[in-house]
């Protein structure tokens, strides 16, 4: 027995635990004496009837507590009880002082005897409302517990099962009573059972309910894993004493699978969205492959690798048709050379060797999955074989290395068919499974990507296969675009390089530096051009031009004009004549085939069909002997000259009209350039911009040339870095030349009278000059050729004869006369006594030719210096061929 603290009604003793049925029923009692009056009145009767013991003692219970219409029957029952009969029944009762019934009591009346042997009665009274309430609660509890479609358990304070409902028994076997006394360890694996036990203990100790507690397990005899959501709450007795924990379990496997599918779909959509944003940001094949792996690892897989066909990386054309041909070395065979371009791993502890992959239906082993130190970084992929296995690659495959897959390997099969395959991991391997996905773009396989998941990760499903194909396809299209761009880019570069002077141009008496920046960064071609052309007599033509427009069309038009300039320069025309011919050529570029003139073509086609090619150009010819330069300008910006110790100034060269306009002559300006002066030719992209006017750009250019004494290459770099060129808005061409005229000791210049003895005098002067220059090995050849040219001048020319020898990188000999008839080389007949002089000149010299001068013509030949790459002496057959 335990004592409950004293209350206002005294001390209460009890031997039953709190929360017994009596606490709910609230039984009251009183006794009736032989006279039918109340003798004893319990405290529970006070609570039930609301009448104190003093008020009840000595009263007739029928008169006091029963309604008036029932009193007669009540007196009869009392007399029967006092006669020794028991009685049980329902009795309406009222509170004294009230007319209407207050309630209904279930009364059990037992006859009793006093010490003197007189008859009395003991009455036990229960409030019917309390009984009905208990019955209702029991029925509701039984309905909820027994008929619930969810699993229901009641755990005692010792955490053993006290009661289980039918639904729980249906899932875990047996009937409901069989589960009494069990624990959660009888239903769940140890880790999950320990989690559940901890949750039960916490609920029992704190009274805080736990909702949606997720556990994973399997029903007896079932292999599939189930997901349950458990709600736990503490159960109390009527007095509030904890008596256990109730648990309600709901199978949420379908909901979990649906949520997982939804999460997978959201993840896949997010991956596709990320792939669209991150893959293909650069037109670089390797960078695009790395971008694919950055998206896939670790969001989609744990390990990944990309192989691309070596032919695509080296610029070879892909074979036509779907996946190419079936030749052993073709792309379509699946065994062509591939290069490992990228690998990635999200497994930080992955060993250098990852387990082999096997096919599901045979004993072939696939290539080892590719590990890497960290996600998105390059690593070493290894492949190996075990006894009886045929691996996709039996050599270590490193990033950047070239390899082949065996013909019968699944990787080669995927490349041949263009179909994705799933390959499970081998026993003992870190890899669980791998998706081998061909990268197909425009019906052509460009490579292979492998996505691997390690053991412990969720296996690949059909949705994952579809996502892998989509990721590979997006990357393949970007890679194919990058391949096409690389091909076109290389072609454009070849075109552009072919249209510009190769290497560092060299010229007699000039130190030259140049820069070219295309306005179209994507193609790196444009319409600006410059050229350095060697002319006879160690003279040099400096050309700079700008075709209006940008890109490939402008580059093609520029190439035609540049070729025309070089052709016209070889004719040794004056600068104004060169521009006049160029103007005619530019007007004819857009003319249709068969048009007789550009004017008629424009008129015939109409303005909407005509293509107008306009260009500006400066053509200058520099003579290092006189240090004089002759300029002609066709609508171009004026050259800039910086003399030593002076500020940069714009040369006053009449601009003229652009090429292609026609109708206006071009003027020439001759300028003497001092030794050490700096001459700059440029295009408008260097000085013109949307952000500032042209005058401001020209002023900044002149300021950037204020210190021309530094090396010429440094001057070019300084100009480009100083000026706000806004590269990308227009093409930029810059050609600079520092004047270094031929010294007087490198020039031999004589005038000879028009008489036969001048031939011998010319030989003597040439011999003496070559001896002074220490070029004795050339004396005999020069004497012979000088004799031929002076003889021809005497025989076919007019006026005074002028002989000039120039020594620079080569030796040049020129013979001048006032005749206008150009010499013509011909083959002499066997019976002819002459006509073989120019044949001899052409045979013994490195080059020869003639050009018009303002007062006649000049015939010249050129010989390499003895210490250079000399020409071979003519053979006997070559000499005899002249006869």
């Amino acid at each position: 027995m335990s004592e409950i603290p004293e209350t206002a009604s005294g001390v209460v003793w009890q031997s039953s635990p709190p929360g017994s049925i009596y606490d709910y029923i609230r039984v009251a009692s009183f006794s009736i004496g032989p006279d039918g009056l109340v003798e004893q009145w319990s405290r529970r009767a006070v609570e039930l009837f609301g009448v104190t013991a003093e008020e009840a003692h000595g009263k007739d219970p029928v008169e006091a507590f029963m309604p008036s219409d029932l009193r007669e029957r009540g007196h009869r029952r009392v007399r029967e009880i006092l006669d020794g009969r028991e009685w049980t029944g329902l009795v309406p009762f009222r509170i004294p002082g009230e007319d209407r019934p207050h309630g209904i009591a279930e009364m059990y009346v037992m006859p009793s005897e006093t010490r003197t042997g007189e008859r009395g009665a003991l009455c036990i009274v229960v409030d019917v409302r309390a009984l009905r309430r208990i019955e209702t609660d029991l029925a509701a509890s039984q309905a909820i517990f027994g008929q619930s479609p969810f699993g229901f358990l009641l755990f005692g304070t010792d955490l053993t099962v006290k009661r289980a409902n039918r639904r729980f028994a249906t899932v875990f076997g047996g009937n409901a009573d069989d589960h009494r006394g069990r624990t959660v360890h009888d239903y769940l694996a140890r880790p999950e059972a320990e989690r559940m036990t901890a949750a039960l203990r916490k609920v029992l100790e704190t009274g805080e309910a736990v909702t949606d507690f997720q556990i994973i397990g399997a029903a007896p005899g079932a292999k599939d894993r189930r997901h349950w959501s458990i709600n736990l709450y503490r159960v109390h007795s009527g007095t509030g004493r904890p008596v256990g924990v109730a648990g309600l379990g709901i199978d949420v496997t379908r909901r979990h699978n649906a949520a997982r599918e939804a999460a997978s779909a959201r993840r896949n959509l997010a991956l596709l969205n990320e792939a669209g944003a991150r893959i293909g940001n650069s037109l670089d094949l390797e960078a695009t492959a790395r971008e694919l792996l950055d998206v896939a690892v670790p969001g989609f897989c744990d390990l990944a690798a990309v192989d691309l066909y070596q032919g695509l990386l080296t610029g070879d054309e892909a074979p036509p048709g779907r996946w190419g041909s079936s030749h052993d070395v073709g792309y379509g065979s699946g065994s062509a050379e591939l290069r490992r371009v990228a690998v990635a791993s999200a497994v930080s502890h992955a060993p250098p060797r990852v387990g082999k992959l096997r096919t599901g239906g045979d004993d072939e082993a696939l290539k080892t999955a590719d590990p890497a130190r960290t996600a998105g970084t390059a690593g070493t992929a290894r492949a190996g074989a075990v006894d009886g296995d045929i691996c996709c690659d039996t050599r270590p495959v490193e990033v950047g290395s070239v390899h082949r897959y065996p013909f019968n390997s699944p990787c080669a099969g995927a490349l041949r068919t263009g179909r994705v395959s799933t390959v499970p991991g081998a026993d003992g391997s870190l890899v669980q499974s791998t998706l081998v996905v061909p990268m197909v773009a425009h019906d052509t396989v460009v490579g292979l990507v492998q996505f691997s998941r390690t053991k412990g990760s969720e296996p690949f499903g059909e949705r994952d296969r579809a996502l892998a194909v989509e990721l590979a396809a997006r990357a393949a299209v970007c890679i194919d675009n990058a391949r096409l761009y690389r091909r076109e880019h290389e072609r454009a570069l070849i075109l552009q390089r072919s249209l510009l002077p190769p290497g560092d141009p060299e010229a007699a008496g000039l130190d030259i530096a140049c820069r070219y920046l295309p306005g179209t960064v994507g193609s790196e071609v444009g319409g600006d051009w410059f050229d350095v052309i060697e002319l006879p007599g160690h003279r040099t033509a400096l050309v700079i031009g700008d075709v209006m427009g940008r890109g490939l069309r402008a580059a093609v038009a520029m190439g035609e004009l540049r070729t025309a300039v070089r052709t016209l320069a070889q004719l040794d025309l004056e600068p104004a004549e060169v521009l006049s011919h160029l103007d005619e050529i530019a007007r004819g570029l857009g003319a249709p085939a068969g048009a007789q003139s550009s004017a008629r073509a424009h008129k015939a086609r109409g303005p909407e069909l005509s293509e107008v090619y306009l260009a500006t150009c400066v053509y200058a010819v520099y003579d290092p002997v006189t240090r004089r330069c002759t300029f002609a300008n066709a609508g171009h910006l004026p050259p800039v000259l910086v003399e030593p110790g002076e500020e940069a100034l714009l040369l006053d060269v009449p601009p003229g009209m652009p090429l292609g306009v026609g109708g206006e002559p071009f003027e020439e300006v001759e300028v003497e350039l001092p030794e050490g002066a700096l001459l700059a030719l440029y295009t408008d992209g260097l000085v013109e911009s949307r952000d500032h006017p042209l005058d401001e750009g020209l002023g900044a250019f002149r300021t950037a040339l204020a210190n021309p004494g530094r090396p010429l290459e440094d001057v070019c770099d300084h100009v480009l870095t100083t000026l706000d060129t806004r590269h990308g808005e227009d093409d930029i061409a810059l050609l600079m030349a520092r004047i270094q005229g031929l010294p007087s000791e490198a020039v031999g210049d004589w005038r000879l009278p028009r008489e036969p003895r001048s031939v011998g005098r010319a030989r003597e002067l040439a011999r003496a000059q070559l001896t002074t220059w220490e070029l004795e090995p050339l004396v005999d050849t020069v004497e012979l050729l000088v004799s031929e040219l002076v003889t021809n001048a005497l025989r076919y020319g007019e006026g005074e004869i002028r002989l000039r020898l120039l020594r620079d990188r080569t030796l040049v000999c020129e013979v001048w006369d006032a005749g206008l008839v150009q010499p013509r080389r011909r083959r002499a007949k066997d019976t002819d006594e002459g006509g073989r002089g120019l044949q001899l000149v052409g045979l013994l010299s490195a080059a020869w030719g003639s050009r018009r001068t303002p007062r006649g013509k000049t015939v010249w030949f050129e010989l390499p210096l003895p210490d250079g790459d000399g020409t071979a002496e003519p053979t006997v057959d070559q000499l005899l061929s002249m006869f």
Side-chain angles (χ1 to χ4, degrees), residues 418-492:
R419 297 175 182 172
V420 62
S421 62
T422 304
V423 184
D427 295 338
S429 168
L430 176 67
V431 174
Q432 178 192 82
S433 60
T434 295
L435 289 177
V436 180
V437 187
M439 305 178 71
V440 183
H442 307 119
D443 292 339
T444 300
V445 176
V446 299
L448 185 76
V449 58
Q450 300 176 64
F451 302 110
S452 300
R453 288 183 180 173
T454 56
K455 293 182 176 177
S457 300
E458 185 177 353
F460 289 113
E462 287 302 319
R463 192 188 301 273
D464 296 320
R465 288 169 61 94
L467 177 61
V469 172
E470 179 66 21
L471 290 175
R474 292 195 179 197
V477 171
C478 295
I479 286 174
D480 194 52
N481 291 339
R483 175 185 68 84
L484 295 175
Y485 165 77
R486 175 181 290 185
R487 184 187 66 185
E488 298 303 322
H489 179 67
E490 290 177 352
R491 290 177 177 178

Side-chain angles (χ1 to χ4, degrees), residues 644-706:
E646 301 291 339
E647 294 183 355
L649 58 89
L650 299 176
L651 293 179
D652 186 13
V653 179
M657 299 299 292
L659 302 176
V661 175
E664 295 292 334
F666 298 97
E667 301 181 40
E668 293 182 357
V669 173
E670 188 175 65
V671 179
E672 184 173 351
L673 306 178
E675 185 75 18
L678 180 65
L679 178 65
L681 305 178
Y682 54 96
T683 57
D684 57 358
L686 183 67
V687 296
E688 192 173 21
S689 173
R690 301 189 188 99
D691 299 332
H692 56 73
L694 177 60
D695 292 342
E696 183 178 334
L698 289 173
F701 181 39
R702 293 169 59 190
T703 302
L705 296 174

Side-chain angles (χ1 to χ4, degrees), residues 189-509:
R190 182 175 179 180
E192 291 293 276
E194 291 178 350
R195 290 179 59 240
M196 183 69 176
T197 301
L200 288 170
R201 185 172 290 111
K202 180 180 178 181
V203 172
L204 187 62
E205 293 175 353
T206 65
E208 296 179 359
V210 173
T211 59
D212 197 22
F213 182 74
Q214 299 286 327
I215 60 174
I216 302 174
K223 296 182 179 180
D224 57 327
R225 290 154 53 97
R226 311 296 295 177
H227 294 260
W228 289 288
S229 173
I230 307 298
N231 297 308
L232 303 174
Y233 57 93
R234 192 168 67 181
V235 180
H236 305 85
S237 66
T239 59
R241 179 178 61 89
V243 295
V245 178
L248 180 66
I250 304 173
D251 190 338
V252 294
T253 304
R254 292 184 179 180
R255 187 178 72 186
H256 177 81
N257 292 340
R260 185 178 62 183
E261 289 294 323
S264 176
R266 288 193 299 270
R267 181 200 65 186
N268 292 353
L269 289 175
L271 278 175
L272 289 177
N273 183 60
E274 184 181 7
R278 297 181 60 182
I279 298 177
N281 290 326
S282 64
L283 290 173
D284 181 84
L285 298 174
E286 292 84 352
T288 302
R290 290 192 295 269
E291 290 166 355
L292 168 62
L293 299 193
D294 289 342
V295 172
V297 179
F300 177 68
C301 63
D302 302 315
L303 305 167
V306 176
D307 296 320
L308 297 180
Y309 277 119
Q310 176 69 358
L312 299 180
L313 296 169
T314 56
D316 294 346
E317 293 288 343
R322 183 175 179 82
W323 303 308
S325 62
S326 300
H327 300 302
D328 290 340
V329 297
Y331 292 118
S333 69
S335 58
E337 288 187 339
L338 297 106
R339 185 191 302 175
R340 176 64 49 80
V341 294
V343 297
S345 171
V347 185
S348 58
H349 62 280
R353 181 185 179 90
V354 181
K356 295 181 294 301
L357 309 175
R358 299 175 182 270
T359 60
D362 56 69
D363 293 333
E364 293 182 352
L366 295 183
K367 182 181 71 63
T368 302
D370 307 306
R373 289 182 291 275
T374 56
T377 60
T380 300
R382 300 184 179 275
V386 295
D387 293 341
D389 289 337
I390 300 176
C391 296
C392 287
D393 201 323
T394 58
R395 307 179 309 278
V397 181
E398 299 180 357
V399 173
S401 63
V402 179
H403 65 101
R404 294 176 184 267
Y405 289 118
F407 185 83
N408 292 326
S409 65
C411 292
L415 291 171
R416 285 194 301 273
T417 63
R419 297 175 182 172
V420 62
S421 62
T422 304
V423 184
D427 295 338
S429 168
L430 176 67
V431 174
Q432 178 192 82
S433 60
T434 295
L435 289 177
V436 180
V437 187
M439 305 178 71
V440 183
H442 307 119
D443 292 339
T444 300
V445 176
V446 299
L448 185 76
V449 58
Q450 300 176 64
F451 302 110
S452 300
R453 288 183 180 173
T454 56
K455 293 182 176 177
S457 300
E458 185 177 353
F460 289 113
E462 287 302 319
R463 192 188 301 273
D464 296 320
R465 288 169 61 94
L467 177 61
V469 172
E470 179 66 21
L471 290 175
R474 292 195 179 197
V477 171
C478 295
I479 286 174
D480 194 52
N481 291 339
R483 175 185 68 84
L484 295 175
Y485 165 77
R486 175 181 290 185
R487 184 187 66 185
E488 298 303 322
H489 179 67
E490 290 177 352
R491 290 177 177 178
L493 286 180
I494 292 173
L495 171 63
Q496 188 69 53
R497 290 165 184 163
S498 68
L499 300 178
L500 296 175
D504 297 326
E506 295 182 355

